[in-house]
Amino acid sequence: MSEDFIPDILETLTVPPSPSATPEPTPRREPVKISIIGSRRGVNSIIRTLYRLRFAEVIEWSPLQPTGNPGEFVSMLIRQISTH
């Protein structure tokens, strides 16, 4: 008779879902290109300034390339950003 008052352990126990049952969404990434165009000296100056601001390492920038305009060069950095 006393067994009628004992709750079934499986009815009272709640088990949280396992981590693999609810996968986290994968963030989407998009490349963003940042260009610096100017004189050789000007481009290098901006790259060093951005390095000091901890924006990008100097070696992350592409080598200077002439643009076709006399005395003008370009360097590019590609960053991957999250686009959730």
Side-chain angles (χ1 to χ4, degrees), residues 1-74:
M1 185 90 182
S2 63
E3 291 180 5
D4 293 336
F5 298 104
I6 300 174
D8 185 358
I9 189 77
L10 295 176
E11 290 178 11
T12 59
L13 186 63
T14 59
V15 179
S18 67
S20 63
T22 54
E24 293 184 28
T26 305
R28 296 181 183 207
R29 311 281 292 165
E30 171 188 342
V32 174
K33 298 175 185 175
I34 303 157
S35 300
I36 303 173
I37 302 170
S39 68
R40 181 183 298 271
R41 182 182 226 173
V43 172
N44 284 327
S45 176
I46 296 297
I47 289 172
R48 286 191 306 274
T49 299
L50 291 173
Y51 168 74
R52 284 192 301 274
L53 294 172
R54 297 182 179 186
F55 180 77
E57 294 288 326
V58 173
I59 62 172
E60 291 180 278
W61 292 90
S62 69
L64 289 176
Q65 298 293 316
T67 64
N69 294 329
E72 187 177 76
F73 296 86
V74 62

